């Protein structure tokens, strides 16, 4: 998809489809809807006036209504996209609305569309505070890119319905401060949207295609041209670094592991911080000797979504160029049962020197991350974040609308949450206080790789990781429930979601 921005009056734009956003002005739950367009343009309002007063369209979130040959404007079609009640309006609604417009256009074979930037001043002289120009422009473009992604890449009858050209139109004056915000928003939206989609492309790949080696190669091919130093290591390096925990998982597979180290060095750092991003990259999780039930196992190709989020984040960071150094460590392996696989009862020695009694070989993510987190610290990071499809227990606790978040530092957590207001992604904090530490005590070694019982499984996993971050301020994201959309939504396809890319990047640049 190519994107262009235009400083122009929307009615004079020649396009197969022009999307305009609308809100519901009514207050109160059962009040009759009062749809209104988010534009100050008279011709657009006039073209939509009859249908808006008909009561057919309520401007609900992602509700769409199509007018052919709208009168008084040059577009062939006018698509009105609802963003819900004005009192609840956020830029994230705009993001979803833009995705819904794209997903409306795609199956109808429309390869080009335009969208009008919602105007904060459209309803009254008092601008709508929730629609600052830059963020709104960014959200439109992000939403459009996210909406454009479909996962059917391996279908021989696949028709590529992707959008070729997106035009975003604003009536701001080119060169004005608002015009500049519009431009910055659009450029950032492209970076965020394409980076999130890059992560989704990786997660979408089947396990036989995307082995750890291929994951490393794809990261390198994407990031090196963008100026990110990308080193891809394998078995020898794991042994040299004494990564016994990571290697314990990796040694059961015929596919060699990959340790991917990506470094972003700013031209001029304005901060002494070095941010560390660590991702779980299990390209397929069978459970190992503690093998998983076969039902639904095919989904475990997405067990590298944490790694993909970090690679996607590095892709965006390379282009946004924050003035802070970032090092990302991805630990990739395949978790297989075999004659060389690790077993329950084995004791592994992690890079940090801690010994780990294996209770369940399906709790492999924390094992690869243990060495990844320790290695990031060794490389000098001052603040850490990890992302992992770590536990089914987190999905039980939070469902699929919030990812789990754990942190050992209030200020770091707060920063991250502030960023999610911009990214529109949902994370819910769960505890990892030291009272829980007893749950992972072992009789034979320093710690066990699971808590003895099922209870609080997302927390015991976080407690395990906490052993390896020691005193470094740290955030752990358990994205098991959010990395894969079980059903499609109006704004996004079923399949890999690309969760956490936007929030991680926002968090990183808050330190610049
Ligand atoms: N990759 C899984 C976690 C997972 C489960 C992700 C379901 C998405 C959906 C992880 O490696 C795992 O198997 N965890 C075990 C841990 C248990 C053995 C302590 C789990 O959650 O069951
Ligand atoms: Zn597992
Ligand atoms: Zn796993």
């Amino acid at each position: 998809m190519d994107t262009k921005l235009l400083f122009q009056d929307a009615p004079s734009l020649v396009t197969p489809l022009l999307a305009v956003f609308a809100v519901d002005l009514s207050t109160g739950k059962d009040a009759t809807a009062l749809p209104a367009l988010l534009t100050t343009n008279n011709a657009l309002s006039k073209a939509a006036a009859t249908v808006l007063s008909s009561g057919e369209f309520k401007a609900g979130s992602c509700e769409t209504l199509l007018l052919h040959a709208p009168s008084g404007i040059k577009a062939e079609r006018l698509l009105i996209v609802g963003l819900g009640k004005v009192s609840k309006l956020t830029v994230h609604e705009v993001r979803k609305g833009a995705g819904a417009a794209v997903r409306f256009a795609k199956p109808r074979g429309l390869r080009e569309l335009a969208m009008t930037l919602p105007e904060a001043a459209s309803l009254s002289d008092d601008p709508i505070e929730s629609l600052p120009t830059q963020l709104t422009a960014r959200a439109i473009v992000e939403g459009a890119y996210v909406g454009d992604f479909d996962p059917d890449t391996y279908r021989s009858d696949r028709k590529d319905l992707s959008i070729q050209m997106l035009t975003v139109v604003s009536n701001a004056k080119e060169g004005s401060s608002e015009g500049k915000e519009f431009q910055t928003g659009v450029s950032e939206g492209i970076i965020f949207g394409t980076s999130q989609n890059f992560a989704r492309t990786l997660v979408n790949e089947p396990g036989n295609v995307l082995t750890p080696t291929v994951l490393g190669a794809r990261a390198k091919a994407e990031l090196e041209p963008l100026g990110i130093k990308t080193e891809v290591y394998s078995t020898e390096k794991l042994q040299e670094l004494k990564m016994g925990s990571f290697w314990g998982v990796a040694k059961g597979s015929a596919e060699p592991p990959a340790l991917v180290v990506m470094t972003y060095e700013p031209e001029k750092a304005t901060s002494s911080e070095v941010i560390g991003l660590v991702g779980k990259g299990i390209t397929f999780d069978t459970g190992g000797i503690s093998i998983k039930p076969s039902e639904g196992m095919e989904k475990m190709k997405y067990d590298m979504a944490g790694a993909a989020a970090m690679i996607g984040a590095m892709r965006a960071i390379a282009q946004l160029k924050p003035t802070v150094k970032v090092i990302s460590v991805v630990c990739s392996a395949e978790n297989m049962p075999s004659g060389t696989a690790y077993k329950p009862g084995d004791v592994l020695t992690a890079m940090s020197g801690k010994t780990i009694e294996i209770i369940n070989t399906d709790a492999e993510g924390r094992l690869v991350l243990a060495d990844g987190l320790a290695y990031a610290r060794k490389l000098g990071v001052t603040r850490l974040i990890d992302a992992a499809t770590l536990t089914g227990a987190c999905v039980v606790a939070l469902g699929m609308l919030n990812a789990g978040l754990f942190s050992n530092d209030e200020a770091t957590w707060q920063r991250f949450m502030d960023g999610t207001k911009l990214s529109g992604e949902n994370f819910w904090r769960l505890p990892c206080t030291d009272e829980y530490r007893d749950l992972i005590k072992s009789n034979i070694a320093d710690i066990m790789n699971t808590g003895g019982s099922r209870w609080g499984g997302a927390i015991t996993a976080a407690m395990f990781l906490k052993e390896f971050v020691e005193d470094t301020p740290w955030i752990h994201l358990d994205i098991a429930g959010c990395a894969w959309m079980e059903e499609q939504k109006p704004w996004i396809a079923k399949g890999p979601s690309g969760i956490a890319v936007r929030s991680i990047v926002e968090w990183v640049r808050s330190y610049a």
Side-chain angles (χ1 to χ4, degrees):
M1 183 161 97
D2 280 330
T3 302
K4 67 175 181 225
L5 50 83
L6 280 181
F7 294 94
Q8 190 183 327
D9 246 7
S12 57
L13 187 70
V14 180
T15 170
L17 181 79
L18 175 66
V20 57
F21 297 96
V23 286
D24 174 7
L25 299 179
S26 73
T27 51
K29 209 163 149 262
D30 301 318
T32 311
L34 289 171
L37 296 191
L38 289 174
T39 177
T40 52
N41 190 284
N42 283 332
L44 282 181
S45 303
K46 232 167 129 188
T50 316
V51 73
L52 288 194
S53 60
S54 72
E56 279 168 44
F57 176 78
K58 300 186 169 48
S61 177
C62 291
E63 185 182 348
T64 46
L65 184 130
L66 182 70
L67 294 176
H68 276 262
S71 67
I73 69 172
K74 292 228 169 100
E76 289 166 42
R77 299 170 189 80
L78 182 66
L79 181 70
I80 311 178
V81 183
L83 302 180
K85 295 243 192 230
V86 68
S87 54
K88 293 195 176 148
L89 187 61
T90 59
V91 277
H92 189 52
E93 271 305 328
V94 177
R95 189 181 282 116
K96 290 197 294 185
V102 163
R103 297 198 68 72
F104 181 95
K106 284 188 78 176
R108 289 166 176 82
L110 301 168
R111 309 294 301 270
E112 252 178 63
L113 83 162
M115 296 189 199
T116 57
L117 185 76
E119 289 175 60
S122 47
L123 303 175
S124 72
D125 292 341
D126 265 349
I128 310 172
E129 273 179 25
S130 51
L131 291 183
T133 304
Q134 185 174 322
L135 277 178
T136 308
R138 177 183 143 187
I140 286 201
V141 177
E142 280 174 12
Y145 276 88
V146 169
D148 197 35
F149 180 98
D150 270 298
D152 56 348
T153 35
Y154 287 93
R155 289 177 71 147
S156 355
D157 63 347
R158 178 177 205 241
K159 294 187 189 63
D160 183 8
L161 296 173
S162 58
I163 301 292
Q164 283 167 344
M165 178 60 78
L166 167 74
T167 307
V168 192
V169 216
S170 162
N171 62 0
K173 287 232 161 27
E174 193 168 359
S176 68
S177 68
E178 204 195 335
K180 283 183 188 143
E181 285 179 33
F182 173 49
Q183 263 167 325
T184 311
V186 169
S187 333
E188 289 197 353
I190 296 172
I191 295 170
F192 275 93
T194 51
S195 298
Q196 181 173 347
N197 282 353
F198 181 64
R200 293 166 84 193
T201 303
L202 295 175
V203 176
N204 198 39
E205 290 289 16
N208 62 328
V209 172
L210 196 96
T211 58
T213 311
V214 172
L215 179 64
R218 293 251 187 127
K220 195 176 171 80
E222 186 73 16
L223 297 178
E224 288 241 317
L226 297 172
I228 303 277
K229 182 174 158 205
T230 308
E231 298 152 295
V232 186
Y233 303 107
S234 190
T235 311
E236 251 177 46
K237 184 78 171 181
L238 266 61
Q239 258 134 26
E240 178 195 318
L241 293 169
K242 298 196 163 54
M243 290 184 156
S245 187
F246 184 1
W247 175 243
V249 176
K251 74 192 181 90
S253 173
E255 286 295 339
L259 169 69
V260 190
V261 184
M262 297 155 274
T263 309
Y264 165 75
E265 195 84 57
E267 246 167 54
K268 210 185 198 159
T270 56
S271 154
S272 55
E273 295 264 5
V274 181
I275 309 290
L277 318 181
V278 178
K280 168 178 174 182
I282 300 297
T283 57
F284 196 79
D285 183 9
T286 64
I289 296 295
S290 316
I291 197 161
K292 287 180 181 296
S294 53
E295 197 186 318
M297 203 205 271
E298 71 283 352
K299 239 185 90 181
M300 281 301 132
K301 69 171 188 174
Y302 91 126
D303 213 18
M304 36 58 73
M310 295 317 181
I311 297 166
M314 290 306 278
R315 183 186 181 282
I317 287 163
Q319 297 170 78
L320 292 167
K321 303 193 192 310
T323 55
V324 60
K325 183 170 176 177
V326 187
I327 301 176
S328 177
V329 175
V330 154
C331 299
S332 184
E334 206 181 44
N335 188 21
M336 295 292 275
S338 75
T340 59
Y342 76 139
K343 307 170 291 295
D346 285 1
V347 173
L348 308 178
T349 304
M351 187 178 121
S352 74
K354 285 210 164 107
T355 54
I356 306 162
E357 179 189 7
I358 301 305
I359 302 298
N360 190 317
T361 63
D362 197 9
E364 84 297 340
R366 63 199 77 181
L367 295 170
V368 304
L369 288 173
D371 284 339
L373 290 164
Y375 188 49
R377 292 185 71 232
K378 197 169 153 183
L379 294 175
V381 307
T382 57
R383 215 171 281 272
L384 270 167
I385 192 163
D386 74 73
T389 45
L390 204 61
T391 66
C394 192
V395 195
V396 173
L398 296 174
M400 297 179 164
L401 293 177
N402 273 275
L405 182 157
F406 300 80
S407 181
N408 62 356
D409 185 71
E410 298 306 301
T412 309
W413 164 69
Q414 195 56 58
R415 279 273 185 126
F416 186 84
M417 292 314 282
D418 289 346
T420 63
K421 287 180 198 138
L422 307 177
S423 71
E425 296 179 319
N426 296 326
F427 294 88
W428 200 265
R429 191 176 181 184
L430 295 166
C432 58
T433 45
D434 290 334
E435 295 129 288
Y436 288 100
R437 197 182 175 276
D438 284 352
L439 296 174
I440 54 169
K441 269 194 188 153
S442 161
N443 284 329
I444 184 174
D446 295 332
I447 47 176
M448 313 188 285
N449 81 327
T450 72
S453 80
R454 287 193 305 126
W455 310 120
I459 300 174
T460 42
M463 290 309 293
F464 183 93
L465 300 180
K466 198 178 168 193
E467 292 291 310
F468 299 90
V469 297
E470 301 197 22
D471 53 0
T472 306
W474 155 77
I475 290 174
H476 157 53
L477 305 177
D478 192 334
I479 57 172
C482 297
W484 194 266
M485 305 288 299
E486 290 294 340
E487 48 193 272
Q488 61 165 339
K489 302 274 182 209
W491 66 92
I492 191 170
K494 179 175 167 172
S497 68
I499 177 84
V501 172
R502 298 198 306 258
S503 300
I504 291 165
V505 174
E506 213 56 77
W507 178 74
V508 165
R509 47 178 197 171
S510 81
Y511 292 100

